[in-house]
Amino acid sequence: MKETEEQLLAQVRNGDRRAMRRLYDRYVRWATAIAGRYVGNSDDVRDVLQESFLKVFASVSGFSYRGEGSLRAWVGRLVANTALDHLRKHRQMVYIDSIPELTDEPEPDIGGVDDATLFKMISRLPDGCRTVLNLFVFEGMSHREIGERLGIRPDSSASQLFHAKRLLGKMIKEMRNERL
Protein backbone atom coordinates (compact mmCIF):
# COMPACT_ATOMS: atom_id res chain seq x y z
CA MET A 1 0.00 0.00 0.00
CA LYS A 2 1.29 3.45 -0.95
CA GLU A 3 2.34 5.73 1.87
CA THR A 4 -0.09 8.63 2.33
CA GLU A 5 1.01 12.23 2.54
CA GLU A 6 -0.10 12.31 6.16
CA GLN A 7 2.05 9.28 7.04
CA LEU A 8 5.03 10.70 5.18
CA LEU A 9 4.57 14.10 6.81
CA ALA A 10 4.52 12.58 10.31
CA GLN A 11 7.79 10.75 9.63
CA VAL A 12 9.45 13.85 8.16
CA ARG A 13 8.36 15.89 11.20
CA ASN A 14 9.99 13.24 13.42
CA GLY A 15 13.30 13.88 11.63
CA ASP A 16 13.36 10.60 9.65
CA ARG A 17 15.98 11.21 6.94
CA ARG A 18 14.68 8.38 4.76
CA ALA A 19 11.21 9.94 4.88
CA MET A 20 12.74 13.26 3.83
CA ARG A 21 14.31 11.49 0.87
CA ARG A 22 10.97 9.88 -0.03
CA LEU A 23 9.25 13.28 0.13
CA TYR A 24 11.94 14.71 -2.13
CA ASP A 25 11.68 11.79 -4.56
CA ARG A 26 7.89 12.00 -4.62
CA TYR A 27 7.75 15.70 -5.54
CA VAL A 28 11.05 16.59 -7.24
CA ARG A 29 9.86 16.04 -10.83
CA TRP A 30 6.74 18.08 -10.25
CA ALA A 31 8.74 20.79 -8.43
CA THR A 32 11.24 20.84 -11.30
CA ALA A 33 8.42 21.50 -13.76
CA ILE A 34 7.17 24.40 -11.62
CA ALA A 35 10.64 25.91 -11.21
CA GLY A 36 11.32 25.45 -14.93
CA ARG A 37 8.20 27.44 -15.81
CA TYR A 38 9.60 30.44 -13.97
CA VAL A 39 13.37 30.18 -14.48
CA GLY A 40 14.34 28.75 -17.84
CA ASN A 41 18.03 28.11 -17.12
CA SER A 42 18.74 24.59 -15.81
CA ASP A 43 21.36 25.86 -13.33
CA ASP A 44 18.81 28.31 -11.94
CA VAL A 45 16.21 25.52 -11.73
CA ARG A 46 18.64 23.44 -9.63
CA ASP A 47 19.33 26.41 -7.37
CA VAL A 48 15.59 27.04 -6.91
CA LEU A 49 14.94 23.36 -6.17
CA GLN A 50 17.73 23.17 -3.61
CA GLU A 51 16.56 26.31 -1.84
CA SER A 52 12.92 25.18 -2.03
CA PHE A 53 13.49 21.80 -0.44
CA LEU A 54 15.64 23.38 2.26
CA LYS A 55 12.66 25.64 3.01
CA VAL A 56 10.30 22.65 2.96
CA PHE A 57 12.32 20.77 5.56
CA ALA A 58 12.99 23.86 7.67
CA SER A 59 9.33 24.89 7.84
CA VAL A 60 7.48 21.56 7.68
CA SER A 61 6.68 21.71 11.40
CA GLY A 62 4.56 24.81 10.76
CA PHE A 63 2.70 23.31 7.80
CA SER A 64 -0.99 22.72 8.47
CA TYR A 65 -2.07 19.44 6.85
CA ARG A 66 -5.54 19.74 5.26
CA GLY A 67 -5.95 16.39 3.59
CA GLU A 68 -4.39 14.39 0.79
CA GLY A 69 -2.88 16.70 -1.81
CA SER A 70 -2.31 19.61 0.56
CA LEU A 71 1.37 18.73 1.13
CA ARG A 72 1.97 18.61 -2.63
CA ALA A 73 0.19 21.95 -3.09
CA TRP A 74 2.23 23.52 -0.28
CA VAL A 75 5.50 22.29 -1.80
CA GLY A 76 4.38 23.72 -5.16
CA ARG A 77 3.64 27.14 -3.65
CA LEU A 78 7.03 27.14 -1.91
CA VAL A 79 8.77 26.32 -5.20
CA ALA A 80 6.88 29.01 -7.12
CA ASN A 81 7.60 31.63 -4.45
CA THR A 82 11.26 30.63 -4.28
CA ALA A 83 11.51 30.89 -8.08
CA LEU A 84 9.97 34.38 -8.00
CA ASP A 85 12.41 35.42 -5.26
CA HIS A 86 15.27 34.00 -7.34
CA LEU A 87 14.19 36.02 -10.38
CA ARG A 88 14.02 39.19 -8.32
CA LYS A 89 17.45 38.64 -6.78
CA HIS A 90 19.34 37.57 -9.90
CA ARG A 91 17.70 39.35 -12.81
CA GLN A 92 16.21 42.60 -13.81
CA MET A 93 12.70 41.76 -14.93
CA VAL A 94 11.46 44.34 -17.37
CA TYR A 95 7.75 45.03 -17.26
CA ILE A 96 5.94 46.85 -20.01
CA ASP A 97 3.43 49.36 -18.68
CA SER A 98 1.47 50.12 -21.81
CA ILE A 99 -1.30 47.94 -23.14
CA PRO A 100 -1.29 47.91 -26.94
CA GLU A 101 -4.32 49.29 -28.73
CA LEU A 102 -5.04 46.06 -30.66
CA THR A 103 -6.10 43.72 -27.88
CA ASP A 104 -8.54 41.70 -29.99
CA GLU A 105 -5.92 39.20 -31.16
CA PRO A 106 -7.12 35.63 -30.71
CA GLU A 107 -5.64 33.39 -28.03
CA PRO A 108 -2.78 31.24 -29.33
CA ASP A 109 -4.08 27.91 -30.64
CA ILE A 110 -2.09 25.37 -28.63
CA GLY A 111 -3.93 22.42 -30.16
CA GLY A 112 -1.45 19.81 -31.33
CA VAL A 113 1.39 21.29 -29.25
CA ASP A 114 2.63 18.76 -26.70
CA ASP A 115 3.29 19.89 -23.12
CA ALA A 116 7.08 19.59 -23.37
CA THR A 117 7.18 21.82 -26.46
CA LEU A 118 4.81 24.33 -24.90
CA PHE A 119 6.92 24.52 -21.72
CA LYS A 120 10.05 25.05 -23.84
CA MET A 121 8.30 27.91 -25.62
CA ILE A 122 7.23 29.41 -22.30
CA SER A 123 10.80 29.18 -21.03
CA ARG A 124 11.94 31.28 -24.03
CA LEU A 125 9.63 34.17 -23.13
CA PRO A 126 11.19 37.29 -21.55
CA ASP A 127 11.28 37.04 -17.76
CA GLY A 128 8.45 39.48 -17.11
CA CYS A 129 6.12 37.88 -19.67
CA ARG A 130 6.94 34.36 -18.48
CA THR A 131 6.43 35.23 -14.82
CA VAL A 132 3.06 36.92 -15.34
CA LEU A 133 1.86 34.13 -17.66
CA ASN A 134 2.73 31.51 -15.05
CA LEU A 135 1.07 33.38 -12.22
CA PHE A 136 -2.06 34.07 -14.26
CA VAL A 137 -2.48 30.72 -16.02
CA PHE A 138 -0.94 28.16 -13.67
CA GLU A 139 -1.41 29.83 -10.28
CA GLY A 140 -4.81 31.36 -11.12
CA MET A 141 -3.91 34.81 -9.80
CA SER A 142 -5.72 37.98 -10.89
CA HIS A 143 -3.83 40.93 -12.33
CA ARG A 144 -4.35 42.75 -9.04
CA GLU A 145 -2.81 39.83 -7.10
CA ILE A 146 0.06 39.55 -9.58
CA GLY A 147 0.69 43.29 -9.28
CA GLU A 148 0.83 43.03 -5.48
CA ARG A 149 3.12 39.99 -5.59
CA LEU A 150 5.55 41.49 -8.11
CA GLY A 151 5.31 45.13 -7.08
CA ILE A 152 3.88 46.26 -10.41
CA ARG A 153 0.61 47.86 -11.48
CA PRO A 154 -2.26 45.56 -12.51
CA ASP A 155 -2.24 47.06 -16.02
CA SER A 156 1.46 46.16 -16.30
CA SER A 157 0.51 42.59 -15.47
CA ALA A 158 -2.20 42.63 -18.14
CA SER A 159 0.26 44.03 -20.66
CA GLN A 160 2.82 41.32 -19.86
CA LEU A 161 0.16 38.64 -20.32
CA PHE A 162 -0.89 40.17 -23.65
CA HIS A 163 2.71 40.17 -24.88
CA ALA A 164 3.32 36.63 -23.60
CA LYS A 165 0.30 35.31 -25.50
CA ARG A 166 1.31 37.19 -28.63
CA LEU A 167 4.88 35.82 -28.47
CA LEU A 168 3.62 32.28 -27.80
CA GLY A 169 1.26 32.56 -30.76
CA LYS A 170 4.16 33.63 -32.97
CA MET A 171 6.33 30.71 -31.76
CA ILE A 172 3.52 28.22 -32.37
CA LYS A 173 2.91 29.63 -35.85
CA GLU A 174 6.64 29.36 -36.68
CA MET A 175 6.75 25.78 -35.40
CA ARG A 176 3.76 24.83 -37.54
CA ASN A 177 5.29 26.51 -40.62
CA GLU A 178 8.51 24.55 -40.09
CA ARG A 179 6.52 21.29 -40.08
CA LEU A 180 4.97 22.05 -43.49
PDB file of all heavy atoms in Angstrom, residues 134-147:
ATOM      1  N   ASN A 134       2.786  32.598 -16.021  1.00  0.00           N
ATOM      2  CA  ASN A 134       2.733  31.506 -15.054  1.00  0.00           C
ATOM      3  C   ASN A 134       1.805  31.813 -13.891  1.00  0.00           C
ATOM      4  O   ASN A 134       1.002  30.970 -13.488  1.00  0.00           O
ATOM      5  CB  ASN A 134       4.140  31.189 -14.533  1.00  0.00           C
ATOM      6  CG  ASN A 134       4.925  30.365 -15.502  1.00  0.00           C
ATOM      7  OD1 ASN A 134       4.493  29.308 -15.926  1.00  0.00           O
ATOM      8  ND2 ASN A 134       6.097  30.848 -15.877  1.00  0.00           N
ATOM      9  N   LEU A 135       1.922  33.016 -13.353  1.00  0.00           N
ATOM     10  CA  LEU A 135       1.070  33.378 -12.216  1.00  0.00           C
ATOM     11  C   LEU A 135      -0.401  33.437 -12.614  1.00  0.00           C
ATOM     12  O   LEU A 135      -1.274  33.014 -11.858  1.00  0.00           O
ATOM     13  CB  LEU A 135       1.525  34.715 -11.625  1.00  0.00           C
ATOM     14  CG  LEU A 135       2.882  34.694 -10.935  1.00  0.00           C
ATOM     15  CD1 LEU A 135       3.313  36.109 -10.562  1.00  0.00           C
ATOM     16  CD2 LEU A 135       2.866  33.795  -9.715  1.00  0.00           C
ATOM     17  N   PHE A 136      -0.681  33.936 -13.801  1.00  0.00           N
ATOM     18  CA  PHE A 136      -2.061  34.071 -14.260  1.00  0.00           C
ATOM     19  C   PHE A 136      -2.659  32.716 -14.648  1.00  0.00           C
ATOM     20  O   PHE A 136      -3.739  32.347 -14.185  1.00  0.00           O
ATOM     21  CB  PHE A 136      -2.124  35.036 -15.448  1.00  0.00           C
ATOM     22  CG  PHE A 136      -3.514  35.388 -15.882  1.00  0.00           C
ATOM     23  CD1 PHE A 136      -4.208  36.414 -15.246  1.00  0.00           C
ATOM     24  CD2 PHE A 136      -4.138  34.707 -16.917  1.00  0.00           C
ATOM     25  CE1 PHE A 136      -5.496  36.747 -15.646  1.00  0.00           C
ATOM     26  CE2 PHE A 136      -5.422  35.033 -17.320  1.00  0.00           C
ATOM     27  CZ  PHE A 136      -6.112  36.051 -16.686  1.00  0.00           C
ATOM     28  N   VAL A 137      -1.934  31.960 -15.475  1.00  0.00           N
ATOM     29  CA  VAL A 137      -2.482  30.718 -16.025  1.00  0.00           C
ATOM     30  C   VAL A 137      -2.368  29.558 -15.036  1.00  0.00           C
ATOM     31  O   VAL A 137      -3.334  28.846 -14.779  1.00  0.00           O
ATOM     32  CB  VAL A 137      -1.788  30.360 -17.364  1.00  0.00           C
ATOM     33  CG1 VAL A 137      -2.228  28.995 -17.860  1.00  0.00           C
ATOM     34  CG2 VAL A 137      -2.084  31.423 -18.408  1.00  0.00           C
ATOM     35  N   PHE A 138      -1.175  29.356 -14.479  1.00  0.00           N
ATOM     36  CA  PHE A 138      -0.943  28.162 -13.668  1.00  0.00           C
ATOM     37  C   PHE A 138      -1.282  28.357 -12.189  1.00  0.00           C
ATOM     38  O   PHE A 138      -1.676  27.414 -11.524  1.00  0.00           O
ATOM     39  CB  PHE A 138       0.504  27.687 -13.812  1.00  0.00           C
ATOM     40  CG  PHE A 138       0.837  27.270 -15.213  1.00  0.00           C
ATOM     41  CD1 PHE A 138       1.645  28.054 -16.015  1.00  0.00           C
ATOM     42  CD2 PHE A 138       0.324  26.095 -15.737  1.00  0.00           C
ATOM     43  CE1 PHE A 138       1.953  27.673 -17.315  1.00  0.00           C
ATOM     44  CE2 PHE A 138       0.609  25.709 -17.034  1.00  0.00           C
ATOM     45  CZ  PHE A 138       1.428  26.503 -17.823  1.00  0.00           C
ATOM     46  N   GLU A 139      -1.117  29.580 -11.686  1.00  0.00           N
ATOM     47  CA  GLU A 139      -1.410  29.833 -10.276  1.00  0.00           C
ATOM     48  C   GLU A 139      -2.803  30.424 -10.081  1.00  0.00           C
ATOM     49  O   GLU A 139      -3.272  30.536  -8.962  1.00  0.00           O
ATOM     50  CB  GLU A 139      -0.362  30.766  -9.662  1.00  0.00           C
ATOM     51  CG  GLU A 139       1.076  30.316  -9.832  1.00  0.00           C
ATOM     52  CD  GLU A 139       1.411  28.982  -9.178  1.00  0.00           C
ATOM     53  OE1 GLU A 139       0.780  28.645  -8.157  1.00  0.00           O
ATOM     54  OE2 GLU A 139       2.286  28.278  -9.694  1.00  0.00           O
ATOM     55  N   GLY A 140      -3.448  30.844 -11.187  1.00  0.00           N
ATOM     56  CA  GLY A 140      -4.813  31.363 -11.124  1.00  0.00           C
ATOM     57  C   GLY A 140      -4.936  32.718 -10.435  1.00  0.00           C
ATOM     58  O   GLY A 140      -5.997  33.051  -9.906  1.00  0.00           O
ATOM     59  N   MET A 141      -3.872  33.502 -10.450  1.00  0.00           N
ATOM     60  CA  MET A 141      -3.906  34.813  -9.796  1.00  0.00           C
ATOM     61  C   MET A 141      -4.536  35.852 -10.722  1.00  0.00           C
ATOM     62  O   MET A 141      -4.430  35.760 -11.934  1.00  0.00           O
ATOM     63  CB  MET A 141      -2.487  35.259  -9.425  1.00  0.00           C
ATOM     64  CG  MET A 141      -1.814  34.382  -8.387  1.00  0.00           C
ATOM     65  SD  MET A 141      -0.094  34.869  -8.137  1.00  0.00           S
ATOM     66  CE  MET A 141      -0.242  35.731  -6.599  1.00  0.00           C
ATOM     67  N   SER A 142      -5.171  36.851 -10.124  1.00  0.00           N
ATOM     68  CA  SER A 142      -5.716  37.977 -10.885  1.00  0.00           C
ATOM     69  C   SER A 142      -4.584  38.966 -11.159  1.00  0.00           C
ATOM     70  O   SER A 142      -3.504  38.892 -10.551  1.00  0.00           O
ATOM     71  CB  SER A 142      -6.818  38.670 -10.084  1.00  0.00           C
ATOM     72  OG  SER A 142      -6.247  39.335  -8.961  1.00  0.00           O
ATOM     73  N   HIS A 143      -4.842  39.911 -12.051  1.00  0.00           N
ATOM     74  CA  HIS A 143      -3.828  40.925 -12.333  1.00  0.00           C
ATOM     75  C   HIS A 143      -3.542  41.782 -11.091  1.00  0.00           C
ATOM     76  O   HIS A 143      -2.409  42.198 -10.868  1.00  0.00           O
ATOM     77  CB  HIS A 143      -4.228  41.795 -13.519  1.00  0.00           C
ATOM     78  CG  HIS A 143      -4.177  41.060 -14.822  1.00  0.00           C
ATOM     79  ND1 HIS A 143      -3.016  40.505 -15.311  1.00  0.00           N
ATOM     80  CD2 HIS A 143      -5.140  40.760 -15.720  1.00  0.00           C
ATOM     81  CE1 HIS A 143      -3.261  39.905 -16.467  1.00  0.00           C
ATOM     82  NE2 HIS A 143      -4.549  40.040 -16.727  1.00  0.00           N
ATOM     83  N   ARG A 144      -4.550  41.998 -10.289  1.00  0.00           N
ATOM     84  CA  ARG A 144      -4.350  42.747  -9.039  1.00  0.00           C
ATOM     85  C   ARG A 144      -3.415  41.968  -8.108  1.00  0.00           C
ATOM     86  O   ARG A 144      -2.463  42.518  -7.547  1.00  0.00           O
ATOM     87  CB  ARG A 144      -5.693  43.010  -8.346  1.00  0.00           C
ATOM     88  CG  ARG A 144      -5.565  43.830  -7.055  1.00  0.00           C
ATOM     89  CD  ARG A 144      -6.887  43.936  -6.290  1.00  0.00           C
ATOM     90  NE  ARG A 144      -7.499  42.662  -5.974  1.00  0.00           N
ATOM     91  CZ  ARG A 144      -7.080  41.822  -5.010  1.00  0.00           C
ATOM     92  NH1 ARG A 144      -6.043  42.120  -4.291  1.00  0.00           N
ATOM     93  NH2 ARG A 144      -7.702  40.687  -4.787  1.00  0.00           N
ATOM     94  N   GLU A 145      -3.663  40.668  -7.957  1.00  0.00           N
ATOM     95  CA  GLU A 145      -2.813  39.833  -7.101  1.00  0.00           C
ATOM     96  C   GLU A 145      -1.382  39.740  -7.640  1.00  0.00           C
ATOM     97  O   GLU A 145      -0.411  39.806  -6.880  1.00  0.00           O
ATOM     98  CB  GLU A 145      -3.399  38.424  -6.976  1.00  0.00           C
ATOM     99  CG  GLU A 145      -4.711  38.367  -6.232  1.00  0.00           C
ATOM    100  CD  GLU A 145      -5.420  37.036  -6.381  1.00  0.00           C
ATOM    101  OE1 GLU A 145      -5.372  36.426  -7.475  1.00  0.00           O
ATOM    102  OE2 GLU A 145      -6.043  36.600  -5.387  1.00  0.00           O
ATOM    103  N   ILE A 146      -1.266  39.608  -8.960  1.00  0.00           N
ATOM    104  CA  ILE A 146       0.063  39.552  -9.580  1.00  0.00           C
ATOM    105  C   ILE A 146       0.794  40.867  -9.334  1.00  0.00           C
ATOM    106  O   ILE A 146       1.980  40.878  -8.970  1.00  0.00           O
ATOM    107  CB  ILE A 146      -0.039  39.249 -11.087  1.00  0.00           C
ATOM    108  CG1 ILE A 146      -0.570  37.831 -11.306  1.00  0.00           C
ATOM    109  CG2 ILE A 146       1.318  39.431 -11.773  1.00  0.00           C
ATOM    110  CD1 ILE A 146      -0.969  37.524 -12.740  1.00  0.00           C
ATOM    111  N   GLY A 147       0.090  41.974  -9.515  1.00  0.00           N
ATOM    112  CA  GLY A 147       0.692  43.285  -9.277  1.00  0.00           C
ATOM    113  C   GLY A 147       1.209  43.421  -7.853  1.00  0.00           C
ATOM    114  O   GLY A 147       2.329  43.892  -7.626  1.00  0.00           O
TER     115      GLY A 147
END
